[in-house]
mmCIF file of all heavy atoms in Angstrom:
data_model
loop_
_atom_site.group_PDB
_atom_site.id
_atom_site.type_symbol
_atom_site.label_atom_id
_atom_site.label_comp_id
_atom_site.label_asym_id
_atom_site.label_seq_id
_atom_site.Cartn_x
_atom_site.Cartn_y
_atom_site.Cartn_z
ATOM 1 N N HIS S 111 -1.048 0.248 -2.053
ATOM 2 C CA HIS S 111 -1.776 0.072 -3.326
ATOM 3 C C HIS S 111 -1.099 -0.941 -4.242
ATOM 4 O O HIS S 111 -0.032 -0.669 -4.745
ATOM 5 C CB HIS S 111 -1.848 1.441 -4.037
ATOM 6 C CG HIS S 111 -2.643 1.340 -5.302
ATOM 7 N ND1 HIS S 111 -4.018 1.203 -5.357
ATOM 8 C CD2 HIS S 111 -2.266 1.388 -6.612
ATOM 9 C CE1 HIS S 111 -4.405 1.184 -6.624
ATOM 10 N NE2 HIS S 111 -3.381 1.257 -7.425
ATOM 11 N N ALA S 112 -1.769 -2.065 -4.447
ATOM 12 C CA ALA S 112 -1.209 -3.113 -5.361
ATOM 13 C C ALA S 112 -2.359 -3.874 -6.016
ATOM 14 O O ALA S 112 -3.498 -3.941 -5.475
ATOM 15 C CB ALA S 112 -0.359 -4.057 -4.599
ATOM 16 N N HIS S 113 -2.095 -4.382 -7.198
ATOM 17 C CA HIS S 113 -3.091 -5.244 -7.933
ATOM 18 C C HIS S 113 -2.517 -6.643 -7.980
ATOM 19 O O HIS S 113 -1.649 -6.920 -8.839
ATOM 20 C CB HIS S 113 -3.295 -4.677 -9.355
ATOM 21 C CG HIS S 113 -3.870 -3.332 -9.381
ATOM 22 N ND1 HIS S 113 -5.183 -3.092 -9.600
ATOM 23 C CD2 HIS S 113 -3.248 -2.082 -9.265
ATOM 24 C CE1 HIS S 113 -5.411 -1.745 -9.572
ATOM 25 N NE2 HIS S 113 -4.247 -1.142 -9.343
ATOM 26 N N GLN S 116 -2.160 -8.551 -11.383
ATOM 27 C CA GLN S 116 -1.190 -7.987 -12.350
ATOM 28 C C GLN S 116 0.204 -8.504 -12.149
ATOM 29 O O GLN S 116 1.099 -8.307 -12.991
ATOM 30 C CB GLN S 116 -1.282 -6.467 -12.314
ATOM 31 C CG GLN S 116 -2.619 -5.926 -12.748
ATOM 32 C CD GLN S 116 -2.727 -4.421 -12.638
ATOM 33 O OE1 GLN S 116 -1.718 -3.738 -12.579
ATOM 34 N NE2 GLN S 116 -3.938 -3.880 -12.623
ATOM 35 N N PHE S 171 -6.039 -4.708 -4.723
ATOM 36 C CA PHE S 171 -7.146 -4.967 -5.635
ATOM 37 C C PHE S 171 -7.027 -6.447 -6.107
ATOM 38 O O PHE S 171 -5.908 -6.857 -6.469
ATOM 39 C CB PHE S 171 -6.978 -4.123 -6.909
ATOM 40 C CG PHE S 171 -7.385 -2.656 -6.810
ATOM 41 C CD1 PHE S 171 -6.865 -1.820 -5.841
ATOM 42 C CD2 PHE S 171 -8.291 -2.154 -7.700
ATOM 43 C CE1 PHE S 171 -7.221 -0.490 -5.788
ATOM 44 C CE2 PHE S 171 -8.675 -0.787 -7.643
ATOM 45 C CZ PHE S 171 -8.127 0.048 -6.709
ATOM 46 N N SER S 267 -9.637 3.453 -4.507
ATOM 47 C CA SER S 267 -9.768 3.628 -5.936
ATOM 48 C C SER S 267 -8.566 4.370 -6.487
ATOM 49 O O SER S 267 -7.552 4.474 -5.815
ATOM 50 C CB SER S 267 -11.104 4.363 -6.265
ATOM 51 O OG SER S 267 -11.414 4.209 -7.613
ATOM 52 N N HIS S 268 -8.719 4.917 -7.723
ATOM 53 C CA HIS S 268 -7.672 5.685 -8.393
ATOM 54 C C HIS S 268 -8.093 7.100 -8.646
ATOM 55 O O HIS S 268 -9.285 7.322 -8.933
ATOM 56 C CB HIS S 268 -7.307 5.021 -9.709
ATOM 57 C CG HIS S 268 -6.791 3.635 -9.658
ATOM 58 N ND1 HIS S 268 -7.616 2.516 -9.705
ATOM 59 C CD2 HIS S 268 -5.530 3.161 -9.528
ATOM 60 C CE1 HIS S 268 -6.857 1.429 -9.625
ATOM 61 N NE2 HIS S 268 -5.613 1.781 -9.541
ATOM 62 N N GLU S 271 -4.512 10.123 -12.407
ATOM 63 C CA GLU S 271 -3.194 9.475 -12.685
ATOM 64 C C GLU S 271 -2.586 10.003 -13.992
ATOM 65 O O GLU S 271 -1.387 10.233 -14.129
ATOM 66 C CB GLU S 271 -3.428 7.966 -12.789
ATOM 67 C CG GLU S 271 -2.214 7.149 -13.109
ATOM 68 C CD GLU S 271 -2.478 5.642 -13.068
ATOM 69 O OE1 GLU S 271 -3.636 5.234 -12.785
ATOM 70 O OE2 GLU S 271 -1.569 4.858 -13.302
ATOM 71 N N ALA S 308 -5.209 6.126 -5.072
ATOM 72 C CA ALA S 308 -3.871 5.948 -5.643
ATOM 73 C C ALA S 308 -3.547 7.059 -6.624
ATOM 74 O O ALA S 308 -4.424 7.549 -7.353
ATOM 75 C CB ALA S 308 -3.778 4.556 -6.338
ATOM 76 N N HIS S 309 -2.284 7.477 -6.584
ATOM 77 C CA HIS S 309 -1.665 8.398 -7.575
ATOM 78 C C HIS S 309 -1.864 9.873 -7.220
ATOM 79 O O HIS S 309 -0.886 10.537 -6.804
ATOM 80 C CB HIS S 309 -2.083 8.099 -9.008
ATOM 81 C CG HIS S 309 -1.919 6.646 -9.364
ATOM 82 N ND1 HIS S 309 -0.709 6.027 -9.221
ATOM 83 C CD2 HIS S 309 -2.801 5.670 -9.772
ATOM 84 C CE1 HIS S 309 -0.773 4.757 -9.585
ATOM 85 N NE2 HIS S 309 -2.039 4.508 -9.893
ATOM 86 N N CYS S 331 2.640 6.210 -5.747
ATOM 87 C CA CYS S 331 3.191 5.058 -6.428
ATOM 88 C C CYS S 331 4.254 5.541 -7.441
ATOM 89 O O CYS S 331 4.002 5.517 -8.694
ATOM 90 C CB CYS S 331 2.099 4.247 -7.117
ATOM 91 S SG CYS S 331 0.723 3.788 -6.007
ATOM 92 N N SER S 334 5.347 3.209 -10.637
ATOM 93 C CA SER S 334 4.282 3.142 -11.609
ATOM 94 C C SER S 334 4.165 4.458 -12.387
ATOM 95 O O SER S 334 4.030 4.429 -13.636
ATOM 96 C CB SER S 334 2.954 2.878 -10.845
ATOM 97 O OG SER S 334 1.831 3.231 -11.627
ATOM 98 N N ASP S 360 1.851 -0.290 -6.641
ATOM 99 C CA ASP S 360 1.037 -0.368 -7.795
ATOM 100 C C ASP S 360 1.395 -1.515 -8.691
ATOM 101 O O ASP S 360 1.391 -1.363 -9.921
ATOM 102 C CB ASP S 360 0.975 0.952 -8.577
ATOM 103 C CG ASP S 360 -0.215 0.996 -9.509
ATOM 104 O OD1 ASP S 360 -1.197 0.221 -9.328
ATOM 105 O OD2 ASP S 360 -0.213 1.797 -10.491
ATOM 106 N N MET S 361 1.798 -2.627 -8.148
ATOM 107 C CA MET S 361 1.995 -3.847 -8.934
ATOM 108 C C MET S 361 0.835 -3.931 -9.970
ATOM 109 O O MET S 361 -0.302 -3.866 -9.522
ATOM 110 C CB MET S 361 1.991 -5.049 -7.981
ATOM 111 C CG MET S 361 2.140 -6.400 -8.618
ATOM 112 S SD MET S 361 3.595 -6.645 -9.562
ATOM 113 C CE MET S 361 4.971 -6.340 -8.421
ATOM 114 N N ALA S 363 1.983 -1.927 -12.660
ATOM 115 C CA ALA S 363 2.495 -0.733 -13.306
ATOM 116 C C ALA S 363 3.857 -0.381 -12.628
ATOM 117 O O ALA S 363 4.720 0.228 -13.201
ATOM 118 C CB ALA S 363 1.519 0.468 -13.236
HETATM 119 ZN ZN1 ZN Z 8 -3.601 0.866 -9.442
#
Side-chain angles (χ1 to χ4, degrees):
H111 183 72
H113 298 260
Q116 296 176 19
F171 282 55
S267 195
H268 297 91
E271 178 175 1
H309 309 304
C331 308
S334 161
D360 196 21
M361 179 60 58

